[in-house]
Amino acid sequence: MATEMALVKPISKFSTSSPIFSNSRYGKFTTVRMSSTSQSTAKAAAKGGKKAAKTAIKETLLTPRFYTTDFDEMEALFNTEINKNLNQSEFEALLQEFKTDYNQTHFVRNKEFKEAADKIDGPLRQIFVEFLERSCTAEFSGFLLYKELGRRLKKTNPVVAEIFSLMSRDEARHAGFLNKGLSDFNLALDLGFLTKARKYTFFKPKFIFYATYLSEKIGYWRYITIYRHLKENPEYQCYPIFKYFENWCQDENRHGDFFSALLKAQPQFLNDWKAKLWSRFFCLSVYVTMYLNDCQRTAFYEGIGLDTKEFDMHVIIETNRTTARIFPAVLDVENPEFNRRLDKMVEINEQLLAVGETSDIPLVKNLKRIPLIAALASELLAMYLMPPIESGSVDFAEFEPQLVY
């Protein structure tokens, strides 16, 4: 899972005893138990220091989260005796695609990584640390969820269970690769500690389907857009991890296609008025979360030569067009009003952040936040109530990977 869709996205990866998370060969570095994004940690990273604060992530709506679900309901959904809509031949075809493992030898590091990291200094170094940390946490979340689904569904539906296990393999590679990237900056996430210490957000299975489909597809569009941009503008290729995004994003695309097939196998999640309402809600959650997160980190995108808002709107529009193939209703994101309200939310969010940085006592801060949170909620509601685009089809486009690429 590529992105940090905090409101909706699962986060995943390998057990921390796996060699993929062993960084001892990279020399001395600091293990950051929860977050390297605090000021003290970031400053230490920016200086290349050997010590950094082991501080907890501040839990907000924009923080990458870990997810769990009703596994008994999941087993019932994929029981072939109960659910006659399951097209096992389609899942078997998808399984063969995952077994092919196109990226088995793709994520191989070289000395270029450390050399590039050593050249990144000042604020940009701090921003890269935060990017790697948040991305690693997001990928690790997906692993945990997919791995558990693979284990729980083993007896009920071995084919679907194996696909989940193979997706957890992909997410593990991504998280491990990102965590090794942190070692270039003398840091590393303690993923074992994360697994035990983070709170898990419960989502019903149908919400997991909506959220994860969107997460994987938006991850595809983010990665491929950055890859294409840097291919055309190599002078901004300041760290080699971006060179891996072309193949990497195809993992996200395959994962999204699998969730599209899962949704098609559960038509009750696509064919009524409630499905339309939930589809729009999750689209809004994912798009707004990404936009607000990225607008807090414009220096990162400027550092690789992108305009943050233009980049995000491109990703949102393309993801929405892809999502319209399966969701029964999507947002009208190409309406100028949608963009205007997003920008208004950015302004409100900046004011909220400013309140948090004041020296006021907590009671005063909370009183100042109330009208701002109300204003955010008002903008969200207005965006949700905009006339939607009726869309969706349970006819799965077998040529979708070629279309979206």
Side-chain angles (χ1 to χ4, degrees):
M1 306 179 102
T3 56
E4 24 177 284
M5 303 304 107
L7 296 181
V8 293
K9 165 170 183 152
I11 306 163
S12 66
K13 258 28 176 202
F14 263 21
S15 79
T16 52
S17 60
S18 169
I20 201 166
F21 292 124
S22 174
N23 293 292
S24 58
R25 58 183 168 145
Y26 295 103
K28 295 182 179 180
F29 59 88
T30 300
T31 298
V32 183
R33 285 204 158 182
M34 292 292 282
S35 174
S36 58
T37 59
S38 69
Q39 247 185 352
S40 56
T41 300
K43 287 178 180 177
K47 294 175 181 176
K50 294 179 181 179
K51 293 184 179 181
K54 296 179 181 180
T55 55
I57 288 175
K58 294 179 181 178
E59 294 290 345
T60 71
L61 284 178
L62 301 183
T63 302
R65 295 168 184 260
F66 286 10
Y67 290 83
T68 186
T69 190
D70 185 334
F71 294 102
D72 291 334
E73 184 182 343
M74 279 285 192
E75 288 184 41
L77 289 174
F78 293 107
N79 187 318
T80 54
E81 298 298 318
I82 299 173
N83 187 351
K84 303 301 181 182
N85 292 310
L86 291 173
N87 185 345
Q88 283 299 106
S89 61
E90 184 171 23
F91 288 128
E92 287 166 4
L94 285 165
L95 176 58
Q96 293 308 310
E97 181 82 359
F98 280 99
K99 281 184 173 180
T100 302
D101 197 4
Y102 296 99
N103 288 331
Q104 183 176 10
T105 59
H106 180 60
F107 296 97
V108 179
R109 286 165 50 88
N110 53 47
K111 64 179 183 178
E112 186 182 354
F113 281 80
K114 182 61 177 172
E115 291 173 354
D118 289 342
K119 294 176 183 176
I120 301 173
D121 55 17
L124 187 58
R125 185 176 180 88
Q126 172 184 333
I127 292 161
F128 259 87
V129 166
E130 185 177 348
F131 162 73
L132 291 169
E133 180 219 29
R134 292 179 68 89
S135 298
C136 182
T137 305
E139 295 286 346
F140 185 64
S141 160
F143 161 75
L144 294 176
L145 180 66
Y146 295 162
K147 188 174 178 67
E148 185 64 11
L149 283 168
R151 187 180 73 83
R152 294 292 190 102
L153 297 174
K154 213 165 194 176
K155 293 182 179 178
T156 305
N157 194 318
V159 173
V160 170
E162 190 171 359
I163 294 175
F164 274 119
S165 296
L166 292 174
M167 289 202 304
S168 74
R169 169 206 67 194
D170 295 342
E171 299 287 293
R173 285 181 184 151
H174 301 169
F177 200 59
L178 288 159
N179 209 18
K180 287 180 179 178
L182 276 169
S183 73
D184 297 328
F185 297 85
N186 304 315
L187 293 164
L189 279 174
D190 187 341
L191 297 172
F193 182 79
L194 270 179
T195 304
K196 298 174 184 176
R198 291 296 295 276
K199 294 179 180 178
Y200 287 70
T201 300
F202 177 85
F203 268 3
K204 290 176 65 67
K206 70 176 180 180
F207 301 153
I208 290 289
F209 293 164
Y210 296 141
T212 310
Y213 171 83
L214 278 165
S215 174
E216 298 290 1
K217 287 299 184 182
I218 208 168
Y220 167 84
W221 280 110
R222 285 173 66 86
Y223 282 168
I224 196 60
T225 302
I226 291 173
Y227 174 81
R228 288 170 176 168
H229 162 72
L230 292 176
K231 190 174 181 180
E232 293 176 2
N233 302 277
E235 68 272 19
Y236 290 106
Q237 187 74 259
C238 53
Y239 188 63
I241 199 167
F242 303 116
K243 296 178 181 178
Y244 291 74
F245 277 13
E246 183 179 28
N247 285 34
W248 191 329
C249 74
Q250 294 302 332
D251 282 343
E252 312 297 330
N253 202 33
R254 279 186 287 272
H255 295 182
D257 289 345
F258 172 60
F259 276 97
S260 182
L262 293 184
L263 282 165
K264 187 178 70 171
Q266 311 295 337
Q268 71 274 19
F269 298 159
L270 295 173
N271 61 9
D272 62 13
W273 64 270
K274 288 184 290 185
K276 291 182 178 181
L277 294 178
W278 282 118
S279 294
R280 289 160 56 199
F281 170 79
F282 278 98
C283 284
L284 184 62
S285 299
V286 169
Y287 301 160
V288 169
T289 301
M290 182 186 75
Y291 202 82
L292 295 184
N293 261 324
D294 287 353
C295 285
Q296 289 180 31
R297 299 165 178 83
T298 55
F300 172 78
Y301 297 96
E302 290 170 359
I304 57 173
L306 285 167
D307 179 286
T308 307
K309 291 183 176 181
E310 287 183 7
F311 165 73
D312 273 18
M313 281 311 302
H314 169 75
V315 170
I316 288 171
I317 288 169
E318 294 298 344
T319 303
N320 205 59
R321 289 173 178 172
T322 303
T323 302
R325 298 174 188 168
I326 186 70
F327 279 23
V330 294
L331 303 172
D332 186 6
V333 300
E334 297 180 63
N335 185 328
E337 182 187 352
F338 183 85
N339 201 172
R340 183 182 65 79
R341 292 192 179 278
L342 276 178
D343 287 338
K344 181 62 177 177
M345 291 186 72
V346 170
E347 293 176 14
I348 299 169
N349 192 50
E350 287 173 352
Q351 294 175 49
L352 273 170
L353 293 172
V355 169
E357 292 172 0
T358 64
S359 57
D360 294 332
I361 62 173
L363 176 61
V364 173
K365 286 184 179 182
N366 289 336
L367 289 173
K368 288 182 177 180
R369 287 184 178 119
I370 290 172
L372 295 173
I373 292 172
L376 270 180
S378 176
E379 293 296 332
L380 275 171
L381 182 61
M383 294 166 79
Y384 185 74
L385 294 178
M386 286 174 60
I389 296 174
E390 300 289 323
S391 60
S393 170
V394 294
D395 296 324
F396 187 63
E398 295 182 4
F399 49 85
E400 183 175 3
Q402 287 71 38
L403 275 179
V404 300
Y405 188 78

